[in-house]
Structures are given as structure tokens and as C-alpha cells.
Amino acid sequence: MSHAPTTVTQVVIVLLLLLPGVIYQFVRERTRGPVPGHRDLGERILRAVTAGIALDTLYVMFAGPWLVHFVYDRRRGWLTGAADNPRIAALTAASLLIVVPAAAAGLTSWLGSRGSQSTYDPIPTAWDKVFRRRSHCLVRARLKSGHWVGGYYGERSYTSGYPEAPDMYLQTTWALSSAGSFERPLPRSGGIYIRMDDVEFLDFVEVSPGAEEGDTAGDRNTSAVGPQREEGVSARRESARTDAGSADTASGH
């Protein structure tokens, strides 16, 4: 019993046996995308253990005596071979525990996806995707009560990320009309917090960086954004046509 493994050694051995399967399962999930079984932690652990056993079996079949020499020596005990050749042991461990399982998972996913036109994005939710590289903008939200709220999303704003529940903080609050059009930033605004549980939908309005102060499109005559601005453009065009018609009539007289 003098060569029986200690508690620390046992933990190391167990980790070495399980790590290939864990790496395989992790890379497989990242490359293939989520499946219903991923919601069950027990099934995921079983898949990882099964993959680890399969990989360890292959390792023993093709390089059993050499690997055993690193792990256990009958005369000197556990891991003495690895201690004698640390560089070779480290390279072997990195290859068999990380590189080979990751390559096997990538190859399996590639073979399974051949001929498929679908693509997988590892970003977990559309919420995270939208705000991953979101530039400055105005955000308006229609609440389930029917009211509109919104504000300016800038450098001091914040949004949650998976797995937290989606919510957001807008650094400046804006007054919105009953139709949801932006009117003006509220004075002395400390921002607004919005829970997505209370929201029916969000709308993002691209604006210039000066929108936080009320300059939404470089047009000093109008401060509203969205439908009101479009109506204002149409109104100005109709006014211009009326003026042009009046000028033509006057010249005709």
C-alpha cells in the first residue's frame, strides 16, 4: 500500500480522465449550437463522461505503455515519470487533454453540418447580439400599459447580458408624445431604468452624437424624431410647392 495514490494525486488523475470529455463537449456545443439536451445538466455531464471514456480508451489503445510510464511507476509511485520529463509531459497533456478533444469536436461538428445552409451564432440571445456593438442612439419602448418611454443610449448607459434578465439603463430620459415620437430631453434627467418584462417592443433610432442634448438630426427647427420628422419634411415640401405655385401665378399676372 506504500504506492497507493494520495488524495491530491487521486484528484489529479480523475481530472486527467475527465478533462478530454469536458473539452470535447464544450467545443461541440460551441460549434454545433444549442440542442434540447443542453438544458439538462445531467445529460450534459453524461455526454462529457462518455466522450472522455471514449477518448481515454483510444489513448490507451494507441499509446498505452508510454502514457502509463508518465502516470505510474511500480517502484517509485504516481506521476514520477511526468516529474522526470516535465516538458514532454506538459506537451503530451496539452495535446491529449485539449488539442485532440477540441479537434475531434470540431471535425464531428463539421461533418454533421455539411450540406446544411443554416448558420450558428454563439451569442446566446438576440438581446446580447443587438447591444454587442450598439452605437449611440435613441431608444423608445412601448410598455404593456400602452405608454411610451425612452431616452438616449450612450457611453454612460448600460444593458444586462445573458444569463441575467434583460433590462437597460438609459443615461438621459426623453419626453415622448402619445404616438411615441421623441420631443425633447427632460431637464435634470438622471436617466431611466427599463425592465423588459414591462415592455412590448423596443425601437432604436439612429441619431448624431449630439442627440442627448436635443440635436437629433442637425435641424434646429424640429426636435422630434421619427414620424413627426417625416411629417415635417412632407409639410415643408408641400409648403414649398404652394409657394412655387403662388410665384408662378404672380408672374402670369
Side-chain angles (χ1 to χ4, degrees):
M1 299 294 294
S2 59
H3 299 300
T6 63
T7 302
V8 176
T9 304
Q10 291 176 356
V11 173
V12 172
I13 297 301
V14 170
L15 289 177
L16 293 178
L17 293 175
L18 294 180
L19 188 58
V22 173
I23 296 297
Y24 176 89
Q25 180 69 9
F26 174 78
V27 176
R28 186 86 168 92
E29 291 179 3
R30 296 288 294 180
T31 54
R32 179 181 56 183
V35 297
H38 291 172
R39 297 181 178 272
D40 188 347
L41 180 60
E43 183 174 344
R44 296 176 67 185
I45 294 176
L46 181 59
R47 289 174 181 268
V49 171
T50 303
I53 293 175
L55 290 170
D56 291 334
T57 301
L58 293 176
Y59 295 161
V60 173
M61 289 176 58
F62 289 99
W66 187 59
L67 294 176
V68 171
H69 172 71
F70 280 106
V71 177
Y72 179 73
D73 186 272
R74 292 182 179 179
R75 293 175 298 176
R76 296 186 297 168
W78 294 88
L79 301 179
T80 55
D84 293 338
N85 302 279
R87 293 183 178 177
I88 297 178
L91 181 60
T92 302
S95 300
L96 299 183
L97 301 180
I98 300 177
V99 177
V100 173
L107 178 61
T108 304
S109 299
W110 178 76
L111 292 175
S113 62
R114 286 194 308 172
S116 175
Q117 300 298 323
S118 62
T119 58
Y120 167 66
D121 193 328
I123 299 176
T125 66
W127 177 265
D128 295 89
K129 180 70 173 181
V130 168
F131 291 101
R132 189 176 182 87
R133 295 182 178 179
R134 176 76 261 178
S135 59
H136 295 190
C137 64
L138 288 173
V139 180
R140 54 187 166 195
R142 180 182 173 88
L143 303 180
K144 295 179 180 179
S145 62
H147 294 89
W148 289 88
V149 295
Y152 182 74
Y153 181 84
E155 296 178 355
R156 293 182 285 110
S157 300
Y158 180 80
T159 56
S160 61
Y162 180 85
E164 301 299 329
D167 60 1
M168 67 188 314
Y169 166 76
L170 302 176
Q171 64 190 53
T172 303
T173 309
W174 276 61
L176 275 72
S177 68
S178 58
S181 297
F182 289 95
E183 295 180 341
R184 65 188 182 281
L186 297 180
R188 300 183 180 180
S189 171
I192 181 173
Y193 171 78
I194 303 176
R195 293 194 322 155
M196 292 304 105
D197 292 340
D198 303 326
V199 174
E200 288 185 340
F201 62 85
L202 287 177
D203 185 23
F204 304 95
V205 181
E206 301 292 343
V207 293
S208 61
E212 183 178 11
E213 302 300 331
D215 183 10
T216 57
D219 187 346
R220 299 295 181 179
N221 295 327
T222 56
S223 59
V225 178
Q228 288 188 357
R229 172 165 294 281
E230 295 174 359
E231 293 172 3
V233 172
S234 300
R236 286 196 295 272
R237 289 177 179 173
E238 293 296 333
S239 177
R241 292 175 182 175
T242 302
D243 294 341
S246 299
D248 293 339
T249 302
S251 62
H253 288 296

